[in-house]
Amino acid sequence: MLHSESLAKLAPALVKANAEVQHATKDSTNPHFRSTFASLNAVLDTIKPAYAAHGLTLTQMPGFHDGIATLGTMILHESGEWIYSESGSPVTKKDPQGIGSALTYLRRYSAAAIAGIGQEDDDGNDAS
């Protein structure tokens, strides 16, 4: 994890926002495993109101290099302070759908992780 030089304003805002963030509703079904999971939209819809109320936003930046889908996830505070984490996943199907699937998976799990939302790995095989 990387972060701005100071976290003096971001840290208390993040503590307050995370106290308000609930677990995301499992609103999607994985037909391969007959299981349910919280979609990317459900995760983001869970995060955004609490973060906005405390001057925070979550932004994600996708990338792809040498068969690896990468994703940078950043929480920004209105003061300019930030924290940043990067994740990656190998992509076995190197077409737009395979890369998109891996990036959606990374976006959902990275957003949930950085915001402290518990997630079960019900659909972990989709990205592989």
Side-chain angles (χ1 to χ4, degrees):
M1 180 181 83
L2 303 171
H3 57 81
S4 56
E5 187 173 322
S6 171
L7 299 177
K9 294 181 180 173
L10 183 145
L14 192 56
V15 167
K16 290 175 186 172
N18 281 352
E20 296 173 15
V21 172
Q22 302 296 313
H23 293 295
T25 303
K26 291 184 176 185
D27 62 345
S28 297
T29 302
N30 180 332
H32 301 292
F33 295 104
R34 295 184 195 100
S35 58
T36 58
F37 65 97
S39 66
L40 175 60
N41 286 342
V43 170
L44 295 178
D45 288 348
T46 300
I47 295 167
K48 286 181 179 183
Y51 275 36
H54 297 284
L56 299 165
T57 191
L58 182 139
T59 186
Q60 296 182 302
M61 296 135 295
F64 183 76
H65 185 70
D66 290 334
I68 304 291
T70 60
L71 184 78
T73 300
M74 180 178 282
I75 295 177
L76 299 166
H77 184 258
E78 60 192 10
S79 67
E81 295 174 351
W82 54 272
I83 58 175
Y84 174 86
S85 180
E86 188 167 298
S87 58
S89 174
V91 177
T92 55
K93 190 175 176 191
K94 295 178 182 114
D95 62 11
Q97 290 76 23
I99 295 167
S101 176
L103 287 170
T104 299
Y105 179 87
L106 288 170
R107 288 188 66 203
R108 183 164 45 95
Y109 277 89
S110 294
I114 205 164
I117 297 173
Q119 294 285 290
E120 294 178 21
D121 192 14
D122 288 345
D123 69 329
N125 291 330
D126 277 358
S128 61

